[in-house]
Amino acid sequence: MVASSQFPGKGEALIHFVFEDSWKKDKRIQILDKISNGNLTRKINLHNFLGRDKQVVFCEINNDYQTIFLAGLGKTKDFTLGKFKHAFAFLLRNLSHDKINQVNVFSFKEIEKDNFQTGKNLALAFYLANYYFTKHKNIEARKKIHLIKELSFISDKKNLDELNDGIRFGSLVAEGTYLVRDLVNEPASHLHPETLVNEALKIKKESAGKISVEILEEEDCRELGMGAFLGVAQGSEKKPKFIILKYQNPAFAKATAGKPKKICLIGKSITFDSGGLSLKPSKGMEEMKTDMAGGATVLGVFKVLAGLKSLKTIVYGILPACENMPSGSAIHPGDIVTAIDGKTIEVINTDAEGRLTLVDGLAYAEKNLKPDLIIDIATLTGACMVALGKEITGLFGNNKKLTETFQKTAEKESEELWQLPCYHPYLKKMESEVADIKNISGTGYGGAITAALFLGEFVKKTPWIHLDIAGPSLNNEEPHGVYGTGGTGWGLTTLIEYIINYN
Ligand code: BES
Ligand code: ZN
Ligand code: ZN
């Protein structure tokens, strides 16, 4: 995909975006109407086109373009680039169903305020709308999927360099998202803790010395005292792997001016969550192959970091990877495990396993890596989906300024999230008769909050953000959403932006 400056250009499809409150004065529509011999105006009237968000009219023409699409973006005052990304991806997905190969898009005033970010969002929309998980389908079925091959963005000559830089960056972020989606979509028959290790090593190889990887094996974790993580892993035949990635750009290693900041990302990495002895019902259990979406997102971030040129911040990534299975060796309800910080946990429900693996990650990070900021990302609770629905992530944190700036970044990227409270009185509900804390509250209420509070007990002093992505990490609702079904890669662009701008 490229940015070019010829107007109106030649192609198979032409998209012109317009706003509800200004499209009637748009001179380009008159030009397009002319080359369509008045067809465009007829379609506008026929379909009562108003320029509302995601409203589209199109008409066939016989000249240089075969089809012109007029696409509404709603009111100018509500415009954000993130919204544009979703609207554009939605349209592209539909065009690919119409078997279109080549698309031209006109630039417009509102988008030209930030050409780099525009380029980024164009690339994200283009690549993410073109994603299909076909690895396990036969060749005939794969051939039936139509991909848009080419996209040109038509803008003023002076904007092209910045636009193309943005397109390159957006393509890199899209590649990271493809990795997240591929990993999330892969079933547990094909993805084990070991598979995540191999993915981390592949990223290290691509990073030209910027990323290193350390694997803590089961024995290492035992020696360190990670009893909570190992307790979850003990029912499975697959060996647990505690994966640690580190990004440090050697170009800044000897820099004297100011120490680089350190961020640590921790991703829930349960390669299958059967619930353990607190077995889940069979309906929908297959979805629990996606319970490593947090870890996949962390790997996606590192894939992008590997391709970045000049980031000074040091970034750690932790994936406490294991499988949650019932077996003769599985952890029993009522068992007591000791986490790495010495706290004992009574495991009331073995299906509340994510928090057990994460707390060893959180406490390990705080003690050994001493980061300035910890962000965990986890498909942690069904309760978060009950509270916020399928499309909104639950945001928690121990620092008001931090959650506010994170929320602003997510808003810019149009990745929906909503802050929920770390309401400390609920900690009382997790008091145990026999250990320091229980792993569930057992009241049946406020499950996303109590899970976050549980995690927070293992972060003593570091600024910390917790993202519960149980809903948004997976799109399993028909009809297809903007980007099709399966893993979404939710959060990757927000995390990348947040990391790049953190100092
Ligand atoms: N992995 C699940 C949470 C989940 C549910 C993610 C649905 C995505 C879709 C998690 O390990 C879990 O089972 N949580 C339990 C906690 C309960 C036992 C306190 C839940 O949410 O039901
Ligand atoms: Zn579970
Ligand atoms: Zn889980």
Side-chain angles (χ1 to χ4, degrees):
M1 81 173 277
V2 286
S4 92
S5 66
Q6 23 158 316
F7 177 86
K10 289 187 179 190
E12 211 177 302
L14 171 77
I15 303 174
H16 184 38
F17 284 100
V18 293
F19 290 96
E20 205 174 325
D21 39 1
S22 63
W23 70 274
K24 287 192 175 151
K25 290 173 280 177
D26 188 336
K27 295 215 173 61
R28 282 178 171 177
I29 295 185
Q30 291 159 20
I31 300 173
L32 295 175
D33 192 45
K34 221 182 219 165
I35 61 173
S36 74
N37 292 327
N39 266 335
L40 189 57
T41 306
R42 274 192 284 280
K43 281 291 182 88
I44 286 171
N45 293 332
L46 183 65
H47 297 288
N48 193 22
F49 180 79
L50 297 169
R52 295 215 168 117
D53 193 21
K54 297 208 176 79
Q55 193 182 15
V56 178
V57 283
F58 64 94
C59 69
E60 309 290 328
I61 52 170
N62 300 318
N63 283 351
D64 292 338
Y65 284 103
Q66 289 174 6
T67 316
I68 296 175
F69 292 83
L70 204 58
L73 285 173
K75 295 202 172 75
T76 317
K77 71 169 175 39
D78 300 330
F79 178 75
T80 66
L81 275 172
K83 266 195 185 165
F84 170 73
K85 169 178 70 180
H86 290 324
F88 186 35
F90 176 72
L91 187 54
L92 287 175
R93 190 92 184 171
N94 284 308
L95 294 194
S96 77
H97 293 157
D98 291 343
K99 309 253 181 286
I100 281 173
N101 289 298
Q102 195 279 341
V103 177
N104 283 2
V105 190
F106 288 155
S107 181
F108 49 93
K109 192 176 86 224
E110 286 72 12
I111 219 171
E112 285 172 7
K113 285 180 193 138
D114 190 339
N115 287 303
F116 181 86
Q117 285 293 329
T118 296
K120 179 186 100 171
N121 281 291
L122 281 168
L124 281 172
F126 177 66
Y127 288 111
L128 302 189
N130 251 337
Y131 175 88
Y132 294 85
F133 185 67
T134 56
K135 199 179 148 193
H136 303 290
K137 288 207 176 259
N138 66 47
I139 306 248
E140 294 314 307
R142 281 190 217 186
K143 276 193 202 146
K144 279 198 193 122
I145 291 171
H146 182 85
L147 298 181
I148 296 172
K149 317 277 177 313
E150 235 185 280
L151 175 81
S152 302
F153 186 69
I154 300 171
S155 184
D156 207 277
K157 228 183 181 131
K158 68 176 192 317
N159 300 332
L160 296 187
D161 283 350
E162 274 174 15
L163 274 168
N164 281 317
D165 281 350
I167 288 173
R168 264 188 295 278
F169 178 68
S171 309
L172 182 67
V173 180
E175 254 182 68
T177 313
Y178 272 33
L179 173 69
V180 182
R181 290 181 177 185
D182 282 348
L183 293 175
V184 171
N185 292 335
E186 198 70 290
S189 50
H190 291 66
L191 188 143
H192 314 141
E194 180 88 46
T195 320
L196 296 174
V197 170
N198 295 335
E199 290 299 326
L201 294 173
K202 264 195 234 163
I203 294 168
K204 170 191 159 172
K205 237 182 168 174
E206 292 164 6
S207 78
K210 285 178 283 188
I211 291 171
S212 53
V213 174
E214 186 187 358
I215 310 299
L216 303 182
E217 301 292 344
E218 188 178 14
E219 308 76 59
D220 304 320
C221 296
R222 185 154 298 119
E223 231 160 78
L224 284 164
M226 295 184 181
F229 171 50
L230 292 179
V232 176
Q234 75 189 40
S236 168
E237 294 191 359
K238 314 267 169 18
K239 289 277 175 219
K241 306 279 173 185
F242 192 94
I243 306 168
I244 308 164
L245 300 101
K246 180 183 184 186
Y247 168 92
Q248 182 169 30
N249 194 328
F252 299 105
K254 290 197 187 82
T256 43
K259 264 196 170 170
K261 292 272 192 215
K262 293 193 278 188
I263 301 179
C264 181
L265 307 177
I266 305 180
K268 175 171 171 182
S269 301
I270 301 294
T271 56
F272 191 80
D273 180 12
S274 68
L277 287 178
S278 315
L279 193 65
K280 284 184 181 294
S282 39
K283 189 173 170 350
M285 200 204 272
E286 73 284 357
E287 262 179 30
M288 287 301 116
K289 68 178 179 184
T290 70
D291 211 20
M292 29 54 70
T297 311
V298 174
L299 288 177
V301 169
F302 275 78
K303 188 163 174 78
V304 177
L305 293 179
L308 285 187
K309 287 200 184 69
S310 57
L311 180 70
K312 189 174 163 190
T313 306
I314 294 173
V315 188
Y316 292 100
I318 293 183
L319 288 81
C322 68
E323 199 181 44
N324 186 22
M325 295 293 281
S327 75
S329 63
I331 191 166
H332 318 92
D335 281 1
I336 296 174
V337 294
T338 306
I340 192 169
D341 70 340
K343 263 207 261 321
T344 56
I345 305 165
E346 185 186 7
V347 179
I348 302 292
N349 190 316
T350 66
D351 195 13
E353 84 299 337
R355 62 196 78 181
L356 295 172
T357 63
L358 288 170
V359 294
D360 272 337
L362 289 164
Y364 175 90
E366 183 165 69
K367 184 162 163 241
N368 298 285
L369 311 176
K370 301 190 173 51
D372 299 287
L373 165 66
I374 299 177
I375 302 177
D376 79 72
I377 175 159
T379 47
L380 202 63
T381 65
C384 199
M385 286 156 75
V386 173
L388 298 175
K390 282 283 305 152
E391 294 178 19
I392 305 174
T393 286
L395 165 71
F396 299 83
N398 62 1
N399 178 309
K400 195 160 176 265
K401 237 177 123 186
L402 194 62
T403 47
E404 271 172 17
T405 53
F406 197 85
Q407 194 153 18
K408 280 213 179 96
T409 309
E411 221 167 274
K412 240 185 71 208
E413 302 301 314
S414 259
E415 293 192 309
E416 299 301 326
L417 49 70
W418 199 257
Q419 187 168 2
L420 294 172
C422 281
Y423 182 68
H424 287 96
Y426 289 172
L427 264 177
K428 258 201 132 13
K429 319 262 180 220
M430 284 181 288
E431 279 174 6
S432 162
E433 298 276 330
V434 290
D436 296 333
I437 192 168
K438 292 192 293 191
N439 78 329
I440 60 164
S441 84
T443 67
Y445 298 117
I449 295 174
T450 48
L453 285 171
F454 183 89
L455 298 181
E457 285 301 284
F458 294 80
V459 185
K460 291 194 177 71
K461 53 178 191 230
T462 313
W464 158 69
I465 283 177
H466 159 56
L467 300 166
D468 192 332
I469 56 166
S473 60
L474 182 71
N475 174 23
N476 52 1
E477 287 178 336
E478 299 289 347
H480 287 196
V482 177
Y483 304 115
T485 48
T488 59
W490 188 97
L492 185 65
T493 59
T494 299
L495 285 170
I496 293 291
E497 282 300 311
Y498 198 80
I499 291 169
I500 289 178
N501 295 308
Y502 181 82
N503 48 44

